[in-house]
Amino acid sequence: MIDVNYSAGRLSFSHVLGRGFIYGCLIFCAVIYMMPFLIMLSTSVRPLAEIKSGTIIAFPREITFDAWTKAWGEACIGTKCSGLSSHFWISLKVVIPSVLVTTILGVLNGYALTKWKFRGANLVFGLMLLGCFVPFQAILLPMAQTLGVFGISNTPFGLALVLTLYGIPFSTLFFRNYYVSIPDDLVKAATIDGAGFFSTLWYIIVPLSPPIIVVNIIWQFTNMWNDFLFGASFSNGDGQPVIVALNNMVNTTTGVKEYNVDFAASIIAALPTILVYVVAGKYFIRGLTAGSVKG
Amino acid sequence: MATLNISDIRKSYGANVILNGINIDLEHGDFLVLLGPSGCGKSTLLNMIAGLESIDSGEVSIADRVVNRVHPKDRDIAMVFQSYALYPNMTVGKNITFGMQRRKIPKAEQEKALSHVAGLLQIENLLDRRPAQLSGGQRQRVAMGRALVRDPHVFLFDEPLSNLDAKLRGEMRTEIKRLHQRLGATIVYVTHDQVEAMTLATQVAVMKAGEIQQYGPPQEIYAKPANMFVAGFIGAPAMNFIPATVTVDDAGGYGLIIQQSDARGGDICLSLKDYETSDLSRYLGHEVILGLRPEDISRYIQNGAAAPDDIFTCQVDVVEPTGADTLITISLGGKAVTARFPPKHAGTAGDEIVVHFNMIEASLFDAKTQDRI
Ligand SMILES: Nc1ncnc2c1ncn2[C@@H]1O[C@H](COP(=O)(O)OP(=O)(O)O)[C@@H](O)[C@H]1O
Ligand SMILES: [Mg+2]
């Protein structure tokens, strides 16, 4: 690895100037990038009166968490005024099982497609890849009909099923591309040692998979949690996931526009994805580059 | 009892013929080396013995049991891979006992086998490490340990030493030989390194393009190569190939004439009276290829006794000392010919020397078919 802080010879003036310029640019970009979030954060802790009396971009003079409690438990969504909380739990109920199932299926698919190459494995993989490129708008109507036939329209289960189905192609892609870099000889050795399909998977492959499992979980969780289209199409009323509920809450007009409540609600809705990234982010980056560099 | 019998094995991928009728018969304790350039189908053959690759036609039997349709784990074989294929997530000890664990062998027995093998390979102090914490040579030992712990009917080695540096490779080679002598196991060993083949094998199968070119003890393959491919593949520096014409002398004995383009002494005549094939009438007047190993060319030093046959004068082109021997290049019949001399005979480039061809060790090849005459 090259140490960027090391350079032979004296630190010249132009060198320092160049460094300063680079860091200046970086800090500037970081501030611009963080600005909207910081404004949201500051607005969410300001009382509504203060916001209305001044401009929307300002530091809070008085800090209050009223907007947060209101967004969580009291804000009106349509005619019902009980905040985002119930929708938040629905999202968790829909997303967590979907993420788990796509991960497990991704492991199985990737493993079978790379280590137990059957006739036509590449064709199957190609078709699954195609699934990554299906425009979701195109399948809304047939999917709605299908859910109707199975009697699971407008249920969290139905929504979870749709999210899972459309998560599988990406999970398969992730795991397949990770597993091609695992030497086939490991599987051969395990076969001779007497391990079959599942015991090789369990004892050899899965222990090598944490980086890509983390990548997959972050990717799927973020996508499923932030999904709006399927949530808006295949759920209604109390069964709506938090992102759809957030949209409806912001659009529910009760006279005054409560910016602080709207912003607090947005942050609440975004919190789980931020949390997932903070907890697992370093594995995410590691996993994305794993395989390109030999450990 | 035949330990491993392979009869007429064939394999193709699409239109690509990878193995074209392979026959092998091994007795218990044999050390067979499959030797050939890379891509000739050695690994494919080994994988077919192991059961990791399907067999198009032909039969593999291990201990007199046809195993074509037997799962690898039930074939009573163990394999060492070129990449070692150690399980990265397991400790060395776990790597070695994984096979026994899958076979539900009692814990106590596993421990006993593990400590026996660890002692044999001197890896007792490594058992708790992971493969990533081992050097290349240590990984190699662990890979062998994983095979040895099984005590199978046949060991399969796929280029086990090719990832080691030269010094370590030499040491491990000796170690494998020692293990073979000690355990008396049957081994099939794949390599493209002819030195490994010569030093380890009791039987060598030289392969080229999916066919066995010659099958026999290493010394026989070295001394009497079946064709020019085998002759050129075994031995370093390689056997010299010199174009020559077959003649007959007044007494009816066959000889060879090598045409020398430079003026010195004119054409060279060599006697074939000791050659294994006594009737060369078919080749009379035709060109053949004389194969002679560098060590069968020596410097003739006058010592009072009558001069032997097959000596002639030539000029030294290049002198390459290698320590124990010195390699001399002379030009003969328009071709560079390498000889291996003791250093004190080497002389210097440009010297005129008299050399002697040890025609008892000569090989003759048909110039067209390249097969041994
Ligand atoms: N799965 C495969 N599909 C197509 N060709 C293959 C496959 N495996 C091996 N081959 C071909 O078979 C030939 C022999 O391969 P291999 O047995 O690995 O050679 P070696 O071990 O002697 O170097 C090579 O030309 C290789 O390209
Ligand atoms: Mg090979």
Side-chain angles (χ1 to χ4, degrees):
Chain A
M1 196 184 286
I2 295 171
D3 183 356
V4 290
N5 293 319
Y6 173 80
S7 65
R10 212 161 39 89
L11 272 184
S12 66
F13 176 69
S14 66
H15 182 90
V16 173
L17 199 70
R19 268 296 140 77
F21 179 73
I22 290 172
Y23 280 106
C25 284
L26 290 174
I27 289 166
F28 178 74
C29 291
V31 168
I32 295 280
Y33 191 81
M34 287 300 287
M35 192 69 90
F37 181 73
L38 294 176
I39 291 170
M40 278 176 66
L41 203 59
S42 94
T43 308
S44 73
V45 292
R46 292 164 75 194
L48 194 61
E50 183 191 315
I51 298 169
K52 282 180 35 191
S53 64
T55 58
I56 196 160
I57 304 178
F59 280 106
R61 262 174 282 145
E62 184 190 337
I63 288 184
T64 158
F65 289 99
D66 290 350
W68 285 72
T69 44
K70 185 161 185 201
W72 180 251
E74 297 148 27
C76 294
I77 299 168
T79 53
K80 190 161 164 275
C81 294
S82 60
L84 282 180
S85 55
S86 65
H87 300 279
F88 193 90
W89 298 125
I90 291 210
S91 272
L92 283 181
K93 225 164 73 182
V94 167
V95 169
I96 289 177
S98 303
V99 169
L100 289 180
V101 171
T102 48
T103 304
I104 290 167
L105 288 177
V107 167
L108 275 172
N109 288 346
Y111 172 60
L113 284 170
T114 53
K115 300 294 171 232
W116 296 79
K117 282 218 145 191
F118 45 93
R119 211 176 269 275
N122 284 334
L123 181 72
V124 170
F125 179 57
L127 290 175
M128 290 196 114
L129 263 194
L130 216 57
C132 297
F133 300 108
V134 171
F136 289 158
Q137 302 85 319
I139 52 96
L140 285 183
L141 285 177
M143 189 52 82
Q145 276 186 324
T146 310
L147 292 180
V149 168
F150 287 116
I152 46 177
S153 306
N154 298 327
T155 61
F157 179 72
L159 182 58
L161 185 71
V162 177
L163 290 175
T164 304
L165 279 180
Y166 285 91
I168 289 172
F170 268 105
S171 290
T172 303
L173 178 70
F174 286 148
F175 284 101
R176 186 256 176 207
N177 287 356
Y178 188 77
Y179 289 158
V180 284
S181 70
I182 294 181
D184 291 350
D185 279 356
L186 285 185
V187 178
K188 289 185 183 174
T191 306
I192 291 179
D193 269 341
F197 183 89
F198 284 106
S199 39
T200 303
L201 177 63
W202 184 247
Y203 290 107
I204 314 291
I205 303 292
V206 169
L208 298 176
S209 304
I212 196 66
I213 290 178
V214 169
V215 168
N216 186 68
I217 286 177
I218 292 185
W219 168 272
Q220 295 293 4
F221 187 90
T222 311
N223 269 336
M224 291 175 179
W225 187 271
N226 289 340
D227 161 73
F228 183 80
L229 183 66
F230 287 151
S233 310
F234 302 131
S235 65
N236 60 14
D238 289 346
Q240 285 172 339
V242 70
I243 297 292
V244 178
L246 172 69
N247 174 67
N248 294 347
M249 177 184 192
V250 173
N251 287 339
T252 303
T253 41
T254 49
V256 219
K257 195 102 191 114
E258 293 177 305
Y259 287 112
N260 52 355
V261 176
D262 289 352
F263 283 6
S266 300
I267 296 175
I268 288 173
L271 225 41
T273 53
I274 295 174
L275 196 71
V276 165
Y277 187 78
V278 167
V279 169
K282 72 174 186 209
Y283 296 100
F284 185 63
I285 292 161
R286 234 184 263 163
L288 281 183
T289 54
S292 60
V293 186
K294 277 256 165 72
Chain B
M1 183 179 79
T3 291
L4 174 67
N5 182 282
I6 294 174
S7 62
D8 206 29
I9 285 276
R10 283 164 204 281
K11 173 90 184 175
S12 1
Y13 286 114
N16 268 1
V17 179
I18 307 298
L19 291 176
N20 193 8
I22 302 284
N23 291 285
I24 284 169
D25 203 11
L26 286 190
E27 296 300 324
H28 183 71
D30 273 344
F31 195 129
L32 169 70
V33 171
L34 300 173
L35 176 68
S38 106
C40 72
K42 310 178 295 287
S43 297
T44 308
L45 179 56
L46 203 68
N47 282 332
M48 285 161 99
I49 300 171
L52 298 168
E53 197 117 37
S54 67
I55 300 171
D56 285 0
S57 74
E59 264 181 9
V60 174
S61 21
I62 294 170
D64 294 324
R65 171 175 70 132
V66 177
V67 293
N68 281 35
R69 310 211 64 82
V70 176
H71 190 272
K73 72 174 197 290
D74 301 321
R75 287 192 179 199
D76 205 7
I77 47 126
M79 189 155 170
V80 178
F81 294 85
Q82 179 174 1
S83 60
Y84 312 143
L86 300 179
Y87 310 127
N89 53 305
M90 297 183 198
T91 61
V92 166
K94 285 266 165 54
N95 261 282
I96 292 174
T97 53
F98 183 68
M100 290 188 285
Q101 182 206 321
R102 294 321 300 152
R103 287 179 169 74
K104 312 246 181 319
I105 288 171
K107 206 76 190 172
E109 219 168 298
Q110 291 186 24
E111 290 299 324
K112 216 174 113 217
L114 175 62
S115 70
H116 172 69
V117 164
L120 204 60
L121 292 167
Q122 295 157 5
I123 50 173
E124 294 104 326
N125 53 337
L126 304 179
L127 295 182
D128 293 326
R129 295 211 203 154
R130 282 175 200 277
Q133 300 165 307
L134 302 178
S135 71
Q138 291 171 331
R139 286 180 205 183
Q140 221 288 321
R141 277 167 196 272
V142 177
M144 295 218 308
R146 200 165 59 179
L148 287 176
V149 79
R150 298 269 315 282
D151 191 22
H153 231 87
V154 182
F155 286 99
L156 307 174
F157 287 72
D158 193 351
E159 310 217 16
L161 305 184
S162 63
N163 287 341
L164 301 179
D165 60 52
K167 181 163 176 290
L168 211 48
R169 198 179 313 153
E171 288 172 16
M172 286 311 293
R173 204 169 60 209
T174 314
E175 186 126 344
I176 291 176
K177 180 124 193 171
R178 187 177 298 133
L179 278 172
H180 176 242
Q181 285 167 353
R182 186 160 159 197
L183 303 173
T186 311
I187 297 177
V188 180
Y189 185 106
V190 163
T191 182
H192 63 260
D193 179 351
Q194 50 103 13
V195 179
E196 281 173 28
M198 290 301 295
T199 50
L200 292 173
T202 61
Q203 299 286 321
V204 176
V206 183
M207 292 179 63
K208 179 192 168 193
E211 289 181 26
I212 293 183
Q213 303 289 309
Q214 188 170 6
Y215 182 62
Q219 199 50 44
E220 180 185 312
I221 287 183
Y222 186 80
K224 295 191 186 316
N227 56 41
M228 286 173 68
F229 172 79
V230 175
F233 200 80
I234 303 240
M239 182 184 266
N240 295 296
F241 295 125
I242 309 159
T245 313
V246 178
T247 63
V248 65
D249 64 16
D250 303 337
Y254 290 101
L256 284 178
I257 292 186
I258 302 169
Q259 292 191 331
Q260 269 296 55
S261 45
D262 59 7
R264 196 181 318 109
D267 295 347
I268 294 162
C269 296
L270 300 168
S271 153
L272 286 176
K273 65 179 190 311
D274 296 317
Y275 194 65
E276 62 200 49
T277 311
S278 50
D279 182 14
L280 294 168
S281 52
R282 214 152 73 74
Y283 293 94
L284 199 58
H286 292 288
E287 188 180 85
V288 296
I289 307 292
L290 166 65
L292 205 58
R293 298 217 175 261
E295 62 269 28
D296 294 323
I297 304 174
S298 53
R299 182 159 181 186
Y300 172 66
I301 311 283
Q302 197 122 25
N303 59 0
D309 288 341
D310 310 321
I311 59 170
F312 53 90
T313 308
C314 60
Q315 191 179 6
V316 177
D317 286 343
V318 183
V319 177
E320 298 169 272
T322 65
D325 301 310
T326 299
L327 302 178
I328 304 293
T329 307
I330 57 179
S331 167
L332 213 58
K335 294 199 66 164
V337 170
T338 306
R340 189 198 292 272
F341 286 180
K344 65 178 192 303
H345 286 172
T348 52
D351 284 0
E352 293 272 320
I353 58 168
V354 179
V355 297
H356 174 240
F357 275 16
N358 183 12
M359 292 300 284
I360 294 172
E361 301 293 340
S363 298
L364 287 186
F365 301 103
D366 186 309
K368 278 204 200 64
T369 63
Q370 305 211 325
D371 286 336
R372 186 182 188 83
I373 296 171

